[in-house]
Amino acid sequence: MSEQEKTTTEPIATITASAKQTTSQTWKLYAGAAAIVLIILAGVVALKVSQGRLDVPVVANMLSVFQSQSTVAVVNDVKIKQATLDVSVKQIEQSVGIQGIDVTDPDVQANIRTQAVTMLVNTELLRQAATERGIEVTDEDVASRITTLEDEVGGADVLATRMDELGIEEATLRSDIKNELLIQALLDQKFTESDITISEEDIEEVYENASLTSEALPPLEDVREQIRAQLQAEKEQQIIDEYLETLKNEATVKIMI
């Protein structure tokens, strides 16, 4: 990176940080419906069966299957299975690992597991809310999303290979994508209903606060839209948090682990 690039990007980072942003936790981290999609996009091969594991006793394999079907949470009588939790844990482990955090640390593992359960509970709450609102996702919508996913990973063959490596069946992928689209449509409605507005005063306040800690800020005009997008994301996140809290208060949620 050149000195000029450093001068430009570092102040921008300062500005976005000053907005007290929470966009590292997008709705997907709260929902979790796209966990399988995210793993495929990242190219994580987490469920490969090594040569040596072919000799595992049949009883052990049967126990593994039984455990994968055990219930870890219930949301309004809808059961969340261990197998689904395992996928979410792997997604979070990948995200955390990229940041250089030791995912083998017991405390980190416990936190990841807790976050994964929360993700899945929130997913189900939002999915049910979308259904109650009459939101529908067609087979064509799902097919279009799969086409986009294929393009993002490098083609249909690459997608099929990664699904095979992860042990993901097409029906499971389609179900996850349907939930992803349902929840996104629901949240889009909530954002519209909330009528989010970002004023010029809001933008200038963020810029002025950033100027207190940085001497080399780019002109406001150069970063105005970045600040606007940041504030938009922050307000959307607040709406999601409050909406999920309402859904939880109205729901019956049981955690079994």
Side-chain angles (χ1 to χ4, degrees):
M1 180 180 293
S2 69
E3 289 302 317
Q4 183 177 1
E5 288 174 321
K6 287 181 180 179
T7 301
T8 302
T9 58
E10 289 176 1
I12 292 176
T14 301
I15 290 173
T16 54
S18 70
K20 297 180 181 179
Q21 53 99 357
T22 55
T23 50
S24 61
Q25 294 181 310
T26 63
W27 72 266
K28 286 183 180 178
L29 284 181
Y30 280 92
I36 287 178
V37 175
L38 292 177
I39 291 174
I40 291 174
L41 283 172
V44 178
V45 183
L47 302 180
K48 273 190 174 180
V49 179
S50 65
Q51 186 97 28
R53 288 185 61 186
L54 295 177
D55 297 325
V56 174
V58 174
V59 174
N61 287 333
M62 291 176 63
L63 178 60
S64 176
V65 172
F66 175 77
Q67 289 175 335
S68 71
Q69 294 304 310
S70 63
T71 300
V72 296
V74 181
V75 182
N76 292 330
D77 297 327
V78 175
K79 297 178 180 179
I80 298 173
K81 300 296 185 178
Q82 178 68 47
T84 306
L85 174 60
D86 291 341
V87 172
S88 294
V89 166
K90 291 180 185 300
Q91 179 214 352
I92 298 173
E93 283 180 344
Q94 182 213 6
S95 177
V96 171
I98 291 175
Q99 302 173 40
I101 298 174
D102 181 10
V103 297
T104 65
D105 181 274
D107 290 337
V108 173
Q109 288 183 345
N111 289 334
I112 288 175
R113 189 174 180 82
T114 299
Q115 183 180 355
V117 172
T118 300
M119 277 175 47
L120 293 173
V121 168
N122 290 345
T123 294
E124 186 56 32
L125 286 169
L126 292 169
R127 186 196 67 77
Q128 292 178 22
T131 301
E132 290 176 3
R133 278 189 170 226
I135 298 173
E136 297 182 353
V137 173
T138 66
D139 291 341
E140 290 74 15
D141 295 331
V142 174
S144 176
R145 178 70 177 102
I146 290 177
T147 298
T148 300
L149 185 59
E150 290 172 347
D151 292 340
E152 290 175 345
V153 300
D157 291 341
V158 176
L159 176 60
T161 298
R162 291 183 179 173
M163 288 174 61
D164 183 61
E165 291 170 338
L166 290 163
I168 298 171
E169 297 180 355
E170 182 177 354
T172 302
L173 178 65
R174 287 182 175 277
S175 176
D176 261 40
I177 287 176
K178 182 177 181 179
N179 286 343
E180 176 191 2
L181 296 176
L182 274 172
I183 292 170
Q184 187 60 67
L186 170 66
L187 295 180
D188 286 343
Q189 286 186 7
K190 294 297 295 182
F191 297 152
T192 299
E193 292 167 4
S194 299
D195 191 24
I196 299 173
T197 58
I198 308 298
S199 69
E200 183 63 24
E201 289 75 15
D202 293 334
I203 295 173
E204 291 177 356
E205 181 180 359
V206 170
Y207 186 82
E208 289 173 3
N209 288 339
S211 68
L212 299 177
T213 58
S214 177
E215 298 179 354
L217 288 179
L220 175 58
E221 284 303 316
D222 292 350
V223 294
R224 184 186 305 277
E225 293 311 310
Q226 294 181 29
I227 297 174
R228 187 187 305 278
Q230 175 60 56
L231 292 174
Q232 176 79 17
E234 183 179 337
K235 291 190 177 184
E236 288 178 356
Q237 191 63 66
Q238 182 178 356
I239 291 169
I240 295 171
D241 290 343
E242 293 173 353
Y243 185 46
L244 276 170
E245 192 63 30
T246 298
L247 292 177
K248 288 177 183 177
N249 290 336
E250 296 173 350
T252 300
V253 178
K254 297 180 182 179
I255 307 298
M256 319 294 284
I257 56 174

